[in-house]
Amino acid sequence: MMGPAHSLSGAAAWLGVGAAAAAAGHAMPWPVLVAGALICAGAALAPDLDHKAATISRAFGPISRGLCEVIDKISYSVYKATKKPGDPRRTGGHRTLTHTWVWAVLIGAGASALAMVGGRWAVLGILFVHMVLAVEGLLWRAARVSSDVLVWLLGAASAWILADVLHQPGNGSDWLFSAPGQEYLWLGLPIVLGALVHDIGDALTVSGCPILWPIPVGRKRWYPIGPPKGMRFRAGSWVELKVLMPVFMLLGGMGGLAALGVI
Ligand SMILES: [Zn+2]
């Protein structure tokens, strides 16, 4: 899928988690719902850091472009080192390592650890990166016609405001994990979820997605998971724009209302 569909599905998924959490008796304070939905919308772009033309690889100028090249090389080496006889030959690392559940868990756990030990600046950093991505993903072309610097400023301002709001007592820095020292531990959850939702979105497209790696399926370790061929669509096709995106909006809206106890 393309950036906007990935981001929308990420936001909708977190709002759905909010509804489930409310039903399970761990209702999210509204700042957790809002910050989590935006983080998840941003994190749902992150797996494409292995692809030069992807939104995320252009989002932070030379820094993300450089990182993209490194990630592509690492992904390709891991692919070559772990492929089984049934896995095809490849020439690059796109849709390999960063499109697996292992990667999703690793970056989520990394973000949680950083947020717990790194204090306010770590939380601000995580929020900033994901707010910039959320703006790029959700506003898409509108963000593209403005300058990168404007998008960064918008990301920085919203990160600053959200960090302050979350920090107020009762606003959710200790949501779900309430022991002392575990504030912001939950920040990794929307990041894991965003990456997984991205992988599922890619799995629906023609090429599938090797989410299960390194668990082998038959003669393949990078088995491209997906529905039967006839049910797949091409990235950016009308199905994505006219069917999936409105569905994500509707589900996200319903999830949000349920999470806040309105319905
Ligand atoms: Zn992807």
Side-chain angles (χ1 to χ4, degrees):
M1 296 199 296
M2 313 281 282
H6 279 310
S7 279
L8 259 186
S9 62
W14 184 257
L15 295 170
V17 169
H26 281 283
M28 294 175 185
W30 70 266
V32 173
L33 191 68
V34 173
L38 290 172
I39 293 172
C40 202
L45 297 179
D48 281 344
L49 195 51
D50 61 3
H51 184 11
K52 274 203 298 289
T55 313
I56 182 171
S57 307
R58 298 173 315 185
F60 298 95
I63 300 174
S64 50
R65 273 199 299 276
L67 193 60
C68 168
E69 268 174 41
V70 175
I71 298 280
D72 184 33
K73 294 233 162 60
I74 296 175
S75 305
Y76 185 44
S77 328
V78 173
Y79 183 86
K80 277 192 297 188
T82 62
K83 78 193 260 301
K84 297 223 307 172
D87 289 306
R89 260 168 193 286
R90 305 183 51 103
T91 51
H94 183 47
R95 276 200 187 178
T96 57
L97 184 61
T98 58
H99 286 68
T100 63
W101 67 273
V102 176
W103 176 271
V105 171
L106 282 180
I107 55 160
S112 279
L114 192 67
M116 251 174 62
V117 302
R120 179 178 169 85
W121 287 104
V123 171
L124 271 174
I126 294 168
L127 284 173
F128 170 69
V129 168
H130 289 91
M131 289 313 115
V132 169
L133 292 176
V135 170
E136 296 264 11
L138 295 174
L139 298 185
W140 193 234
R141 302 252 184 263
R144 276 282 124 227
V145 294
S146 70
S147 78
D148 279 349
V149 179
L150 273 181
V151 175
W152 298 337
L153 282 177
L154 188 55
S158 35
W160 193 268
I161 293 166
L162 275 177
D164 272 348
V165 173
L166 284 169
H167 208 65
Q168 312 280 332
N171 268 359
S173 58
D174 58 353
W175 175 71
L176 203 58
F177 304 97
S178 50
Q182 295 184 352
E183 289 84 12
Y184 298 109
L185 190 56
W186 63 269
L187 275 185
L189 295 176
I191 295 177
V192 175
L193 185 67
L196 289 177
V197 168
H198 177 108
D199 296 347
I200 294 168
D202 275 356
L204 299 175
T205 61
V206 176
S207 39
C209 185
I211 306 174
L212 292 182
W213 178 88
I215 302 163
V217 177
R219 291 175 66 248
K220 292 182 177 178
R221 198 181 297 282
W222 296 90
Y223 187 85
I225 300 285
K229 285 271 186 287
M231 289 170 63
R232 300 184 185 197
F233 59 89
R234 212 168 311 166
S237 67
W238 68 271
V239 183
E240 180 176 325
L241 301 173
K242 299 278 185 295
V243 181
L244 291 178
M245 288 180 58
V247 168
F248 294 152
M249 279 185 220
L250 191 68
L251 290 178
M254 281 163 50
L257 291 176
L260 293 170
V262 179
I263 51 172

